[in-house]
Amino acid sequence: MITAILLGGGRLKNSQLKSLISFKGKPLIVRLADALEKSKYVSRIVFILPEEAKQLLENYRLTKKADVIDAGDDLIERIYKALELVDTEYVLLLPVDVPLVDEKVVDGFIEECMNLGGDAFYPIIRQEVIEARFPGTRRTYGRLKEGVFTGGNIFLVKKDLFYINRRFIEEIYQARKSSLKMARIAGLSVLLKGLFGRLKVEDAERRVSRLFNDARLKSVVTIYPELGIDVDKDEDLEILRKLEEAESVDQLSQ
């Protein structure tokens, strides 16, 4: 079985707490709690939440083991605090701002990972898969030799890797908003191949695996475009409202 760590402390630029954003009549924290509660692979949930979201979650009854960690300014420190409560080999790490993720997506992604075998897994989604399901959405894409992809918003990782690679994880987190710093971490050969569209998925896997003490890191070409839809900007909120309206129209026409 797997322990899920749900990151619920993120905010939009206007300081709106993502956990409290409503989609289809439910706050995102409740939608994701429901997905993890119904997952057949998740046996325990650790929530990282600020006080406002904690109070809302108190009204939601969970049958699985559940713990709540206070959110703070240092996300990495909070994640390691949550890891102290993990009693399973694998950890599923996901943010709260993935409004289209339900238990079918969670379980489907986990099964994709288990079919590959490895120590850590990260989803990548083909551009055509995103645009076929959610036309009009704007994502950041990168070109690999196998096609054009965007990254997903979920990770499946062996717990031990967090401790073996803590310094490197902290380095990546600090560099995440700097293309130059991330390029230095990736290495010149990987950077040049990426710039010219010659980088293969397996090249990227090999490089990152070496950086993570030769752990077996796998990129999962997932069939679930829902993993690529998040809420980071005001325009993402507008897309959510359009999806709600489209579904309401479909239901009325049936």
Side-chain angles (χ1 to χ4, degrees):
M1 299 299 286
I2 292 168
T3 298
I5 297 179
L6 181 59
L7 312 177
R11 295 179 185 271
L12 296 176
K13 287 185 178 180
N14 63 7
S15 296
Q16 182 179 6
L17 186 62
K18 293 180 180 181
S19 287
L20 303 186
I21 292 171
S22 180
F23 181 60
K24 296 184 181 179
K26 291 182 180 180
L28 294 189
I29 181 62
V30 173
R31 291 186 61 82
L32 267 294
D34 190 55
L36 297 173
E37 169 78 3
K38 293 178 180 177
S39 167
K40 60 186 177 183
Y41 298 110
V42 173
S43 59
R44 185 173 191 168
I45 310 168
V46 183
F47 298 90
I48 300 179
L49 299 173
E51 194 62 37
E52 311 98 288
K54 285 167 61 178
Q55 292 174 356
L56 189 150
L57 193 63
E58 286 175 1
N59 298 322
Y60 182 81
R61 295 185 180 277
L62 290 163
T63 62
K64 294 180 177 178
K65 287 183 181 178
D67 297 278
V68 179
I69 300 292
D70 291 328
D73 295 332
D74 189 335
L75 176 61
I76 298 299
E77 189 272 334
R78 296 287 86 193
I79 289 174
Y80 278 91
K81 188 70 176 176
L83 286 169
E84 295 175 7
L85 302 172
V86 172
D87 55 4
T88 56
E89 182 181 15
Y90 281 93
V91 177
L92 188 72
L93 193 67
L94 71 164
V96 75
D97 64 332
V98 283
L100 305 178
V101 170
D102 59 15
E103 69 275 9
K104 293 179 182 178
V105 175
V106 170
D107 288 347
F109 172 69
I110 291 172
E111 288 168 0
E112 289 177 326
C113 297
M114 294 299 99
N115 287 335
L116 288 175
D119 300 315
F121 307 87
Y122 172 66
I124 57 176
I125 309 145
R126 293 186 181 276
Q127 183 177 7
E128 58 267 29
V129 172
I130 289 270
E131 293 181 348
R133 181 72 182 278
F134 305 112
T137 56
R138 297 177 63 183
R139 300 292 102 190
T140 300
Y141 293 97
R143 181 174 294 279
L144 298 173
K145 194 164 186 180
E146 294 90 342
V148 179
F149 297 87
T150 189
N153 296 282
I154 192 171
F155 303 89
L156 183 64
V157 186
K158 280 187 175 179
K159 177 184 175 180
D160 290 349
L161 286 186
F162 284 97
Y163 294 103
I164 296 169
N165 297 282
R166 178 162 186 167
R167 182 177 296 180
F168 182 59
I169 290 170
E170 291 174 341
E171 182 183 357
I172 291 176
Y173 183 72
Q174 293 299 324
R176 71 193 186 284
K177 295 184 179 180
S178 169
S179 299
L180 180 59
K181 290 180 180 178
M182 290 299 288
R184 287 174 178 166
I185 292 171
L188 182 61
S189 63
V190 169
L191 175 62
L192 290 174
K193 284 182 179 180
L195 286 174
F196 292 102
R198 293 176 49 224
L199 183 67
K200 295 180 180 179
V201 171
E202 63 182 28
D203 292 335
E205 288 179 344
R206 193 177 300 115
R207 171 60 179 172
V208 178
S209 293
R210 284 201 298 269
L211 292 172
F212 272 87
N213 287 297
D214 293 322
R216 296 174 300 157
L217 272 65
K218 297 290 184 180
S219 297
V220 182
V221 183
T222 183
I223 64 171
Y224 299 100
E226 296 90 347
L227 293 172
I229 305 298
D230 57 12
V231 183
D232 276 333
K233 305 175 290 296
D234 289 340
E235 64 187 64
D236 295 330
L237 282 176
E238 293 175 11
I239 290 169
L240 282 192
R241 302 305 166 228
K242 289 178 181 178
L243 288 171
E244 282 182 315
E245 291 171 7
E247 183 166 302
S248 296
V249 171
D250 288 343
Q251 289 173 348
L252 288 173
S253 63
Q254 289 176 359

